[in-house]
Amino acid sequence: MRKLQHEFDIFIKSLKGNNYFQEYHLFKEDGGMRGFYVNVFGAEEFAAWINVEKYKEQVIWVIPKPDTEPDLVIHF
């Protein structure tokens, strides 16, 4: 899983311009405007990347949070 997260990170860093995984934020600062991209993704986007970009078929699903503590949690 860590290998996939690393590959996802490389994919995110390779994106240029407007895209589904980043938002452009524009701020007024010291009399001028400053803009930059902010990454916006979670488990759903990670799963979509694995299914669409990596394996080109559905191999992973996002499930609702269980009522009891799971044995393993993947953090983003």
Side-chain angles (χ1 to χ4, degrees):
M1 188 55 67
R2 294 286 177 224
K3 183 177 183 278
L4 286 171
Q5 286 178 312
H6 178 69
E7 289 179 33
F8 182 64
D9 186 50
I10 291 170
F11 167 75
I12 292 293
K13 289 178 181 175
S14 74
L15 297 174
K16 304 292 182 224
N18 295 328
N19 61 73
Y20 184 71
F21 299 99
Q22 299 172 323
E23 292 178 350
Y24 190 73
H25 291 250
L26 193 59
F27 293 92
K28 187 173 183 179
E29 183 179 84
D30 297 328
M33 299 299 283
R34 181 173 176 243
F36 55 90
Y37 284 94
V38 176
N39 293 338
V40 288
F41 56 83
E44 292 81 6
E45 289 78 17
F46 181 61
W49 172 80
I50 289 174
N51 291 330
V52 175
E53 297 289 330
K54 180 73 177 164
Y55 293 102
K56 308 213 182 328
E57 64 178 299
Q58 187 154 13
V59 296
I60 190 171
W61 291 260
V62 176
I63 61 171
K65 184 177 178 180
D67 294 333
T68 60
E69 282 297 315
D71 293 332
L72 177 66
V73 176
I74 300 168
H75 297 280
F76 296 89

